[in-house]
Amino acid sequence: MNCRSEVLEVSVEGRQVEEAMLAVLHTILLHRSTGKFHYKKEGTYSIGTVGTQDVDCDFIDFTFVRVSADELDRVIRKAVAEFKDALGNSGSDGMGQISLEFYQKKKSRWPFSDECIPWEVWSIKVNVVNLANEQERQICREKVGEKLGEKVINIVEVINRHDYLPKMPTQSEVDNVFDTSLKDVQPYLYKITYQITDSLGTSVSTTMRRLIKDTLAL
Amino acid sequence: MDSDLSSQDRKDLDKFIKFFALKTVQIIVQARLGEKISTCSSSSPTGSDWFNLAIKDIPEVTHEAKKALAGQLPGIGRSMCVEISLKTSEGDSMELETWCLEMNEKCDKDIKVSYTVYNRLSLLLKSLLAITRVTPAYKLSRKQGHDYVILYRIYFGDVQLTGLGEGFQSVRVGVVGTPIGTITLSCAYRTNLALMSSRQFERTGPIMGIIIDHFVERPFTNMAHMHPCSYRTPGEDEGGTYAGIEDSQEVCTTSFSTSPPSQMVVPGKEGGVPQVPAQPNHGTAAEHGRIPSFPNGQSPLPAQPTSCSSEVKTVFCDALETTFTRKVGAFVNKATTQVTTTSLDLPFAAFAPRANDLEVNDPMVHPPPSPAPSSPLQGSLHSNSSSHSGGQPQDDFVMVDFKPAFSKDDLLPMDLGTFYREFQNPPQLASLSIDVSAQSMAEDLDSLPEKLAIYEKNIDEFDAFVDTLQ
């Protein structure tokens, strides 16, 4: 199986990084989350209901939709905050990339650890710009809002191609496909990683931190 | 070919398509209400949340959607469209976008209805949630309120995009293949907002340097304010019959603004805020008469001297000129008897405040309540100079009694003053007030049932009348 990879690029001002990343990541996760599965007898299951929320950005003229799941929101915010700090610490002309990877777990026999096989990777390249005055910032608010709108349309386009999605698992397999740790929603297994590159474009400080959602990794 | 589709699958598919269409309409309309939408996730399925998404069902919207569908389903050649338009407080309207749910003939025979189609329709609704916040109409709808409102209209049949102006853009939300055809959801939105730039919308846009506070409590967050298919002013009851479903003029209000009293349109008139004179010229004489009835006593009124009133003023100027040169005129300040009308644009201009606030106390604009016919005039002629010399209105609003300088009460019963007052306040022609605004049309519609009842009662009279004609 080939893992499909999508790359999105945004140029934002420093204080817009967080909201821009949240907007993109939540939009993707909105489409890659289902309601909680409730397995019944005979292999059937029912699916819980996913609520949604509008989120207004403070530094960008933009509103995005996320699933109504505060736990998930906290996790994403934490990851984005770390990414933002890393970008900030790297230097004034920060460029970086945050990746959202959806994977399936394939159980291996002992002593080998489970394989994580990605089936979809979204990479968001971020270029932080510095603006001189308030007028430029105002223009940037609107421009970035429009750009994020285009990114949402791109995301929706990709998702609606209805390419490979993992098969719906049986009860025993559900943890290999979905993150079942949250109480409100059930996203596909995912991990968020990021990379910071300096202005030369080389990944001098490849700060790879894995935020593994699945606690069963050996 | 439906031979491969079992009857159960077919029934399920029809049900999915029907509820998908209804949920699509709900999402679109709710996204244009002007407020943030929030629903809760529920881990235990209730069985009533279609497509496993918590989407509220606003009853009026469902009613409108079902009315438009009229028992049919979106299908090949039968598209369901939701048109979003903007209507200003002055009555101008503009189509902003049209969301189309269409079906084409490309079938996917192998797809599983109850599982794959259902899940893909769910995914499409999520995409719709995301895309509805991205098109330009979203920002406009969040700022609706006093200046404009956003309306929706649902129709079934052929897609009409001509109202979107030139250069409209299109975005495809997604497609879902089914055994009977491929469902496509897309949006065509206007890019040419020319109407906006000529009105006062600039000030609703972002102001330089100030962060827009998205969290300002909106005054009309209660969904009960939504009105289906209504031309009426807010607060009136629904009821009465509506025009046919396919009537292209019918729009449904999603929210409305109850304008502050200063902007309230005088019933029966359009363009209450007199930025643009909306009245035809022959109505303006009456307009002058009605203006003082504005609740806030709007001052200053914008420059509205129409041809009618300026003519009269000119006449007066001439008359006063003679007055001034011969004797002290009624309103001439003692200290400045040299003032002649040649240097004045308006009569009584000597009493006008130095600021250009002429209309405030211009008796032509604010005619006093009609006094008793003779005595005030008589009294005023003799006491003019004394009463007005010190009373030159500079900053205060002083109601100046209208006393024509040279008229005497013992001459014609119809003196100039009375004539002028009557000329100023003629009653509005009944025929003019009929179709001035959509609101009065709505009132007409309201009164139709009563009128019909009356006519039915008098049907014998009508018959007799018809007989006399033959």
Side-chain angles (χ1 to χ4, degrees):
Chain A
M1 165 200 31
N2 290 324
C3 167
R4 69 174 164 271
S5 174
E6 305 296 334
V7 180
L8 305 164
E9 285 190 49
V10 285
S11 284
V12 294
E13 202 205 350
R15 60 185 186 170
Q16 295 172 322
V17 169
E18 240 173 306
E19 287 177 336
M21 295 303 101
L22 286 173
V24 173
L25 293 174
H26 271 303
T27 301
I28 299 168
L29 282 165
L30 167 70
H31 291 86
R32 292 286 181 246
S33 302
T34 72
K36 296 285 290 181
F37 282 14
H38 296 272
Y39 285 94
K40 296 183 263 203
K41 291 177 248 184
E42 298 143 14
T44 59
Y45 62 93
S46 57
I47 309 177
T49 301
V50 171
T52 58
Q53 278 188 4
D54 286 339
V55 181
D56 287 334
C57 296
D58 289 325
F59 300 109
I60 313 174
D61 276 352
F62 193 66
T63 301
F64 62 91
V65 182
R66 67 167 177 90
V67 290
S68 291
D70 291 337
E71 286 172 89
L72 181 64
D73 188 38
R74 274 196 292 274
V75 168
I76 304 301
R77 281 181 184 270
K78 185 158 170 260
V80 167
E82 285 181 18
F83 172 64
K84 186 194 167 180
D85 290 340
L87 263 184
N89 295 336
S90 72
S92 58
D93 203 15
M95 271 179 31
Q97 176 176 295
I98 193 167
S99 297
L100 174 60
E101 177 189 302
F102 292 101
Y103 65 95
Q104 268 179 274
K105 266 209 295 192
K106 192 174 163 192
K107 293 238 181 269
S108 302
R109 288 188 199 192
W110 185 88
F112 301 108
S113 59
D114 293 338
E115 259 184 279
C116 294
I117 305 167
W119 52 270
E120 188 173 77
V121 178
W122 297 85
S123 302
I124 307 149
K125 290 198 171 135
V126 180
N127 179 29
V128 181
V129 297
N130 288 318
L131 297 176
N133 60 45
E134 198 55 42
Q135 190 167 2
E136 280 182 31
R137 282 198 192 98
Q138 184 58 35
I139 296 170
C140 193
R141 274 184 74 93
E142 294 164 25
K143 282 256 143 51
V144 171
E146 285 169 21
K147 280 286 162 199
L148 284 180
E150 285 170 30
K151 299 305 155 202
V152 165
I153 294 174
N154 291 347
I155 292 167
V156 163
E157 255 179 295
V158 169
I159 294 208
N160 270 275
R161 278 184 223 150
H162 300 301
D163 290 335
Y164 173 81
L165 276 183
K167 275 205 262 283
M168 283 300 146
T170 57
Q171 192 168 11
S172 55
E173 298 276 302
V174 70
D175 289 317
N176 293 338
V177 176
F178 286 103
D179 175 356
T180 53
S181 64
L182 304 171
K183 73 170 169 46
D184 294 323
V185 293
Q186 193 173 284
Y188 283 99
L189 281 172
Y190 70 94
K191 59 173 98 135
I192 298 177
T193 58
Y194 61 84
Q195 267 180 302
I196 307 294
T197 54
D198 70 358
S199 47
L200 294 174
T202 58
S203 37
V204 169
S205 54
T206 49
T207 319
M208 295 285 288
R209 295 200 43 206
R210 292 182 169 274
L211 299 166
I212 309 257
K213 287 318 298 156
D214 186 2
T215 57
L216 295 176
L218 293 167
Chain B
M1 278 267 288
D2 291 336
S3 53
D4 296 336
L5 199 62
S6 72
S7 68
Q8 181 58 43
D9 273 350
R10 182 61 206 251
K11 263 201 277 185
D12 286 345
L13 186 59
D14 286 346
K15 214 169 25 160
F16 295 169
I17 293 175
K18 175 185 166 191
F19 282 97
F20 178 76
L22 294 176
K23 288 294 180 184
T24 295
V25 175
Q26 288 287 349
I27 290 176
I28 294 168
V29 172
Q30 287 174 29
R32 297 290 175 261
L33 288 178
E35 53 201 43
K36 292 204 296 188
I37 304 295
S38 175
T39 55
C40 293
S41 302
S42 160
S43 62
S44 32
T46 58
S48 60
D49 292 321
W50 274 91
F51 307 105
N52 311 120
L53 279 176
I55 299 164
K56 268 186 247 187
D57 280 322
I58 299 170
E60 292 96 327
V61 176
T62 306
H63 173 75
E64 288 305 320
K66 284 186 174 163
K67 209 166 76 167
L69 289 171
Q72 292 185 298
L73 288 176
I76 299 166
R78 297 190 312 266
S79 308
M80 188 188 77
C81 299
V82 182
E83 182 187 283
I84 300 291
S85 56
L86 175 151
K87 187 169 177 191
T88 67
S89 55
E90 285 133 29
D92 297 311
S93 70
M94 178 168 77
E95 266 178 55
L96 295 177
E97 50 187 25
T98 301
W99 299 83
C100 310
L101 177 59
E102 301 169 284
M103 190 181 270
N104 67 35
E105 288 133 353
K106 188 172 164 199
C107 302
D108 187 344
K109 296 277 179 211
D110 301 323
I111 202 168
K112 283 213 187 92
V113 169
S114 63
Y115 170 70
T116 311
V117 172
Y118 189 81
N119 286 335
R120 287 187 182 177
L121 289 175
S122 175
L123 206 56
L124 189 51
L125 287 177
K126 289 175 183 169
S127 299
L128 183 63
L129 280 165
I131 300 277
T132 43
R133 275 66 175 168
V134 156
T135 53
Y138 180 72
K139 287 203 192 105
L140 288 171
S141 67
R142 288 293 297 269
K143 291 173 190 154
Q144 70 183 297
H146 300 301
D147 293 319
Y148 61 90
V149 290
I150 303 292
L151 311 176
Y152 72 92
R153 174 172 83 96
I154 308 169
Y155 63 90
F156 197 63
D158 290 325
V159 179
Q160 299 154 24
L161 298 179
T162 49
L164 294 173
E166 281 176 23
F168 65 84
Q169 300 271 2
S170 214
V171 61
R172 195 171 76 166
V173 182
V175 294
V176 172
T178 75
I180 59 171
T182 299
I183 296 169
T184 313
L185 187 53
S186 60
C187 172
Y189 58 92
R190 167 185 282 272
T191 53
N192 175 20
L193 297 171
L195 173 63
M196 317 286 285
S197 56
S198 64
R199 302 286 179 193
Q200 51 227 39
F201 299 124
E202 282 96 358
R203 63 181 170 83
T204 65
I207 303 165
M208 289 303 220
I210 298 172
I211 291 174
I212 300 159
D213 188 356
H214 287 284
F215 300 99
V216 169
E217 197 61 24
R218 298 221 132 253
F220 315 111
T221 50
N222 187 351
M223 298 234 251
H225 281 255
M226 291 193 315
H227 283 241
C229 297
S230 171
Y231 288 104
R232 300 159 204 164
T233 52
E236 289 192 24
D237 291 331
E238 302 155 24
T241 52
Y242 301 114
I245 295 162
E246 307 301 334
D247 185 356
S248 60
Q249 291 309 307
E250 196 161 80
V251 288
C252 305
T253 320
T254 56
S255 71
F256 58 87
S257 65
T258 49
S259 312
S262 60
Q263 289 175 19
M264 188 69 80
V265 175
V266 173
K269 287 201 188 309
E270 193 70 17
V273 179
Q275 297 286 338
V276 177
Q279 297 301 313
N281 277 340
H282 48 280
T284 46
E287 186 76 8
H288 274 258
R290 289 192 196 279
I291 283 169
S293 71
F294 267 53
N296 283 7
Q298 284 280 1
S299 69
L301 292 163
Q304 267 196 357
T306 62
S307 52
C308 306
S309 60
S310 55
E311 268 172 58
V312 176
K313 286 175 185 174
T314 318
V315 164
F316 244 72
C317 278
D318 293 336
L320 278 176
E321 182 144 21
T322 51
T323 307
F324 284 147
T325 53
R326 269 197 240 139
K327 64 176 182 181
V328 174
F331 297 94
V332 174
N333 192 339
K334 267 192 171 168
T336 58
T337 46
Q338 299 95 332
V339 175
T340 62
T341 50
T342 49
S343 64
L344 296 173
D345 287 332
L346 293 165
F348 323 121
F351 288 89
R354 292 294 170 254
N356 288 333
D357 218 1
L358 297 172
E359 285 92 350
V360 171
N361 56 357
D362 186 347
M364 293 194 185
V365 175
H366 296 285
S370 41
S374 42
S375 40
L377 287 174
Q378 186 174 22
S380 66
L381 274 176
H382 301 297
S383 63
N384 269 344
S385 44
S386 54
S387 68
H388 284 285
S389 58
Q392 184 157 29
Q394 289 279 5
D395 302 310
D396 300 327
F397 172 69
V398 173
M399 193 68 101
V400 177
D401 271 350
F402 188 74
K403 292 170 271 292
F406 51 86
S407 71
K408 292 197 178 102
D409 59 311
D410 53 352
L411 289 178
L412 301 165
M414 175 73 143
D415 69 349
L416 192 64
T418 317
F419 165 76
Y420 190 75
R421 263 194 301 283
E422 282 186 11
F423 171 82
Q424 278 292 88
N425 299 321
Q428 175 79 344
L429 287 174
S431 56
L432 283 181
S433 63
I434 284 177
D435 57 349
V436 167
S437 76
Q439 290 162 338
S440 51
M441 181 165 81
E443 286 158 26
D444 288 338
L445 281 173
D446 273 341
S447 60
L448 267 178
E450 298 153 44
K451 281 188 190 160
L452 282 171
I454 296 170
Y455 298 151
E456 272 180 26
K457 264 197 267 174
N458 300 334
I459 200 165
D460 296 330
E461 279 181 22
F462 290 129
D463 287 344
F465 173 68
V466 168
D467 289 336
T468 60
L469 292 174
Q470 282 166 353

